[in-house]
Amino acid sequence: MSETSPSGASYAAAGVDIEAGDRAVELMKEWVKKTQRPEVLGGLGGFAGLFDASALKRFERPLLASATDGVGTKVDLARQLGVYDTIGHDLVAMVMDDIVVCGAEPLFMTDYICVGKVHPERVAAIVKGIAEGCVLAGCALVGGETAEHPGLLGPDDFDVAGAGTGVVEADQLLGPDRIRKGDAVIAMAASGLHSNGYSLVRHVLFDRANLSLDQHVEEFGRSLGEELLEPTKIYSLDCLALTRTTEVHAFSHVTGGGLAANLARVIPDELHAVVDRETWTPAPVFDLVGRTGDVERLELEKTLNMGVGMIAIVPEESADVALATLADRGVDAWIAGEITERGEHETGAALIGDYAG
């Protein structure tokens, strides 16, 4: 058989469309360009993203912070709804809001998009959302990878992941060592479910209750799908603003595991964080999941953020300035608790009382 015979095997015949991938890269370039910082060198399409590390000379002892994450099963809802330009916000939030917890300034991010079949406009929409999220986080999107996996994923299936890097001055590193008895626990409101617990949410609302994504929900004032796809709030620049305007001892990003478990990660062994549920009312979506699935409150709190996406721990005397700073930035925040000495049978953090309303 001739080497040029059209009947021979090819990458395209195996399901990989290189031309579609090239088209996707062209479509995403304008969005990636919007994220550029002055330290970024080169353009999209190289084998590696370049960041001028000489910019770190302004630090006495720069510590690099890194994190990686994905969006989870929320991507399946985006696929079903045909909405692809919001989950990028989720991805950036999950990565960069982990990085800012130690006080680090987000610098740059890379993404990985895995698809069953490259639909250029769809991939570009995903990258558009990631780029918009990077702008909100103050970081650059310096590169990424789009991988086509026919046979492993269906033609419309996809997943996203990302990794990011930030920097913090060593003597400004935030964390357990700074926390003191009497510190105030400040809660920052979540924009919704964010990007955790969707396996439970999907099981309750769709498998058990047979609800549909397009049905209107009165408590939400919009469709169920619109509520579930609400992008994760990106707190990075808000947290950095706090560190510039007042003293901050620690942050905690409320993701998988819920508020108490994530808060406990930054509490030193001898102290205890007490958070009063009476200081806020969770959004209706949390009640819908709990009521529809007959999910116990403890299980909800172990799985979902219950309306709090980020925690700041500050000295009691700094709380008013912190709240004013967040209010000026449009962040709904409140004093939700305090740091106390840890009792014999207490863990790092606990929720007390009942939710308001």
Side-chain angles (χ1 to χ4, degrees):
M1 180 181 294
S2 169
E3 291 183 356
T4 60
S5 170
S7 62
S10 67
Y11 213 12
V16 177
D17 190 337
I18 295 176
E19 291 183 357
D22 292 340
R23 169 66 175 158
V25 171
E26 287 301 315
L27 291 174
M28 68 177 72
K29 279 184 176 179
E30 66 171 299
W31 298 108
V32 175
K33 186 177 180 180
K34 295 178 186 294
T35 75
Q36 296 305 285
R37 292 172 48 124
E39 305 94 337
V40 176
L41 304 178
L44 192 66
F47 286 95
L50 298 175
F51 189 91
D52 186 355
S54 68
L56 305 184
K57 289 181 180 179
R58 61 187 170 94
F59 292 84
E60 289 287 331
R61 184 187 168 201
L63 302 181
L64 294 180
S66 65
T68 185
D69 211 333
V71 179
T73 59
K74 188 173 184 176
V75 299
D76 189 57
L77 301 182
R79 179 191 62 79
Q80 292 183 54
L81 289 166
V83 177
Y84 304 103
D85 61 353
T86 61
I87 57 170
H89 288 235
D90 297 301
L91 180 62
V92 175
M94 299 305 288
V95 173
M96 287 305 177
D97 284 347
D98 274 358
I99 285 176
V100 82
V101 161
C102 67
E105 172 194 349
L107 295 176
F108 57 85
M109 183 168 175
T110 57
D111 63 63
Y112 177 78
I113 303 171
C114 182
V115 300
K117 178 179 175 57
V118 172
H119 301 281
E121 288 74 18
R122 182 179 302 175
V123 172
I126 295 171
V127 174
K128 170 179 178 287
I130 297 172
E132 290 173 338
C134 285
V135 171
L136 292 174
C139 66
L141 181 60
V142 297
E145 171 73 6
T146 300
E148 194 170 24
H149 289 175
L152 182 62
L153 297 175
D156 292 326
D157 293 336
F158 69 97
D159 199 5
V160 296
T165 299
V167 62
V168 60
E169 190 70 74
D171 64 6
Q172 296 175 15
L173 184 69
L174 304 182
D177 291 346
R178 292 179 177 258
I179 297 176
R180 299 290 182 266
K181 177 184 175 182
D183 282 354
V185 175
I186 294 178
M188 300 180 217
S191 56
L193 292 170
H194 285 186
S195 301
N196 297 103
Y198 275 77
S199 293
L200 172 64
V201 171
R202 291 162 60 244
H203 172 66
V204 166
L205 300 184
F206 307 126
D207 297 341
R208 294 188 56 169
N210 292 314
L211 301 182
S212 63
L213 287 169
D214 59 359
Q215 72 181 78
H216 182 81
V217 179
E218 192 64 35
E219 302 100 297
F220 304 158
R222 56 181 174 176
S223 72
L224 178 60
E226 289 172 322
E227 177 69 25
L228 297 184
L229 272 194
E230 179 67 34
T232 305
K233 181 169 177 56
I234 298 172
Y235 300 93
S236 303
L237 295 184
D238 303 314
C239 291
L240 292 178
L242 279 188
T243 65
R244 290 192 297 267
T245 58
T246 192
E247 184 178 355
V248 177
H249 287 166
F251 291 113
S252 176
H253 187 198
V254 183
T255 57
L259 196 163
N262 281 285
L263 182 53
R265 294 167 66 180
V266 299
I267 305 298
D269 292 342
E270 71 277 9
L271 296 177
H272 176 65
V274 180
V275 176
D276 190 349
R277 298 184 185 95
E278 293 183 1
T279 60
W280 82 96
T281 302
V285 67
F286 299 100
D287 178 66
L288 176 67
V289 174
R291 177 168 34 86
T292 304
D294 194 26
V295 184
E296 295 183 359
R297 185 171 72 179
L298 180 60
E299 183 65 24
L300 280 178
E301 292 176 340
K302 287 168 53 181
T303 309
L304 307 177
N305 66 58
M306 300 306 291
V308 177
M310 182 71 77
I311 291 285
I313 300 176
V314 305
E316 183 181 13
E317 61 271 20
S318 298
D320 288 343
V321 174
L323 290 174
T325 298
L326 292 171
D328 287 344
R329 297 183 60 82
V331 179
D332 182 16
W334 62 95
I335 297 177
E338 64 176 338
I339 303 298
T340 65
E341 290 184 355
R342 186 179 303 198
E344 182 178 357
H345 301 294
E346 290 179 328
T347 57
L351 305 181
I352 64 170
D354 294 318
Y355 293 109

